[in-house]
Amino acid sequence: MFKQNSVFVVGAGASDEFGMPIGSTLTDQIRGSSRLRFDNYPDRDEGPKSITTYIRKHYDFYSEEDLKAARELIAAFGRINHGILSAESIDEYIYRYSDDALVAEAGKLQIAHLISVAESNSLLARERDFHLEKGFYTLNNTWIWAFAKSLVMGVKASEVKWIGSGVTIVCFNYDRCIEHYLEHFLMRTYHGLGQEEARSIVSNINIIHPYGTLGDLDQFPFGETENLLENMAKNLITWSETGDDEEELEERRVEIRKAIRSARQIVFLGFAFAPQNMKILNTEPREVNFNGPAVYSTGYGIEREVEESYRDKIIACYSKVSSDEPVATRERVRFQLGAKCKEFFSTNRANLVQ
């Protein structure tokens, strides 16, 4: 099992190993899927069917008022199509136009559509025989296999309900790959464990999605959510949210910061250290933390020349920046430069378990 008070911060690079899109790939996909065209006959509409169906469901094209509103939303899709490649991610693009509710609505619909499609095409989908031995064991070539083995290491069958206690996973991705995989892994690991019980055990692990997910697996089955676009989009939160969603995001921030403050070790997996995401992790420390956590991070795409900059951002999450900061504090933050998540776990697994 992992050391107590372990925090895993998971970014898009981790889900990339399952076949999910990273930020740049997703923006390319959004640009393509935001070209919408409506015909007098719905079956001739152009664009993702789930999105065109959503628009036709919510707007009566024979009503002048509704038609005007529909055209305004369609125009927002057009603006995204025109400008999305100038942003690092769809979240950043929505943040850029925080005062435009239609951009947020269109952006969330795009996210929900494309992430649900990606789930259905991922290594964890039934269509890839994930539910069968042949398909399930293809995941042995990703980081989640080593992670799951470490999670259950030393846990007796009679103690299965305690799996993951003392572990927090902060997942910045909208997908449910971690939950879905762990559920099936537990069913294979502990004989006689049914899906309902396995799902309950996974739900008790402190897995926090700051920006939400497509939804609970009970209500929104993995890889089978295409027809539930509207409700999936409502489950998502972006950087620029206000009102109830902003309050929900703040509640998650509080929970995340509590975990960071008490962390014995923090592990970054496929994380890009975007400023808005680092802000969520920052506990706003008021003093130097001389006994900070051990920190390990994947380093794919990180050059040695900027390693110190990333190290400073991480330390600032749990310790006040000061000239009194001991060298040992900095040495406790380690990057495995050039490594993706699978390679990272192959190297560092012994450092992370007790």
Side-chain angles (χ1 to χ4, degrees):
M1 65 183 70
F2 290 112
K3 294 173 182 175
Q4 284 294 300
N5 297 332
S6 292
V7 177
F8 293 86
V9 182
V10 180
S15 284
D16 176 56
E17 293 190 16
F18 311 138
M20 301 297 294
I22 58 174
S24 57
T25 304
L26 188 61
T27 54
D28 284 341
Q29 292 175 350
I30 285 174
R31 183 171 183 264
S33 65
S34 59
R35 298 188 185 98
L36 305 182
R37 179 180 172 277
F38 289 84
D39 193 89
N40 290 331
Y41 301 95
D43 59 343
R44 296 180 183 175
D45 292 344
E46 295 180 12
K49 186 175 181 180
S50 61
I51 291 177
T52 57
T53 299
Y54 168 89
I55 293 174
R56 284 193 176 274
K57 176 182 175 182
H58 284 78
Y59 300 99
D60 179 1
F61 283 19
Y62 294 100
S63 161
E64 185 175 341
E65 183 178 353
D66 269 20
L67 183 59
K68 179 183 177 182
R71 284 173 173 167
E72 290 174 350
L73 178 58
I74 294 166
F77 278 95
R79 292 195 293 277
I80 291 175
N81 171 263
H82 183 73
I84 185 62
L85 294 187
S86 67
E88 291 292 330
S89 67
I90 181 60
D91 299 82
E92 182 185 328
Y93 186 85
I94 294 172
Y95 179 74
R96 184 182 298 170
Y97 296 99
S98 301
D99 57 347
D100 191 334
L102 290 177
V103 166
E105 180 181 358
K108 282 186 174 185
L109 288 168
Q110 287 282 14
I111 293 168
H113 163 69
L114 288 168
I115 296 299
S116 69
V117 169
E119 282 190 350
S120 67
N121 292 325
S122 73
L123 295 177
L124 293 93
R126 286 187 67 86
E127 288 76 8
R128 301 288 288 271
D129 289 334
F130 173 74
H131 61 298
L132 302 175
E133 249 185 48
K134 178 183 177 182
F136 180 81
Y137 289 114
T138 61
L139 273 295
N140 290 10
N141 292 318
T142 71
W143 67 272
I144 196 72
W145 167 243
F147 176 87
K149 285 199 298 182
S150 301
L151 196 65
V152 303
M153 184 191 306
V155 180
K156 298 177 182 178
S158 59
E159 300 170 340
V160 66
K161 66 179 181 180
W162 302 112
I163 286 174
S165 60
V167 170
T168 295
I169 300 172
V170 182
C171 183
F172 283 86
N173 304 328
Y174 296 116
D175 64 73
R176 292 84 50 85
C177 290
I178 293 174
E179 293 90 334
H180 183 59
Y181 178 85
L182 290 180
E183 174 184 307
H184 287 268
F185 178 86
L186 292 180
M187 291 166 61
R188 282 172 163 76
T189 302
Y190 293 96
H191 305 303
L193 190 69
Q195 185 170 11
E196 185 176 342
E197 187 177 359
R199 183 167 292 180
S200 175
I201 293 168
V202 174
S203 69
N204 286 330
I205 300 173
N206 192 27
I207 304 177
I208 307 169
H209 290 265
Y211 302 128
T213 69
L214 295 184
D216 183 273
L217 287 170
D218 285 325
Q219 297 179 330
F220 303 89
F222 190 92
E224 300 177 17
T225 52
E226 183 72 11
N227 295 323
L228 301 169
L229 181 68
E230 178 181 358
N231 291 324
M232 289 190 301
K234 289 178 180 178
N235 290 328
L236 308 181
I237 300 175
T238 60
W239 295 349
S240 55
E241 296 291 357
T242 58
D244 292 342
D245 283 339
E246 184 179 31
E247 292 179 12
E248 186 174 348
L249 178 56
E250 184 57 35
E251 288 176 6
R252 292 172 185 169
R253 283 177 180 148
V254 169
E255 193 174 352
I256 290 167
R257 290 166 182 170
K258 180 181 177 182
I260 296 292
R261 286 190 187 98
S262 61
R264 178 179 174 187
Q265 66 180 6
I266 302 174
V267 182
F268 291 90
L269 297 171
F271 191 67
F273 303 98
Q276 292 291 342
N277 294 340
M278 294 304 292
K279 183 178 179 181
I280 288 177
L281 298 173
N282 196 304
T283 63
E284 300 178 359
R286 298 182 179 180
E287 56 187 30
V288 177
N289 186 347
F290 293 102
N291 298 301
V295 179
Y296 304 87
S297 177
T298 56
Y300 186 77
I302 297 178
E303 301 296 336
R304 191 170 299 281
E305 289 79 2
V306 296
E307 184 179 359
E308 284 302 305
S309 175
Y310 286 115
R311 184 175 280 112
D312 288 341
K313 292 178 182 180
I314 291 171
I315 293 174
C317 288
Y318 53 81
S319 179
K320 183 179 179 180
V321 177
S322 170
S323 57
D324 296 330
E325 180 185 287
V327 174
T329 299
R330 305 189 67 75
E331 291 178 343
R332 289 172 68 82
V333 180
R334 307 164 195 171
F335 293 90
Q336 188 176 346
L337 298 181
K340 291 188 176 183
C341 301
K342 180 182 184 297
E343 182 183 353
F344 171 87
F345 256 98
S346 297
T347 303
N348 287 283
R349 185 183 176 199
N351 292 327
L352 308 180
V353 298
Q354 59 186 16

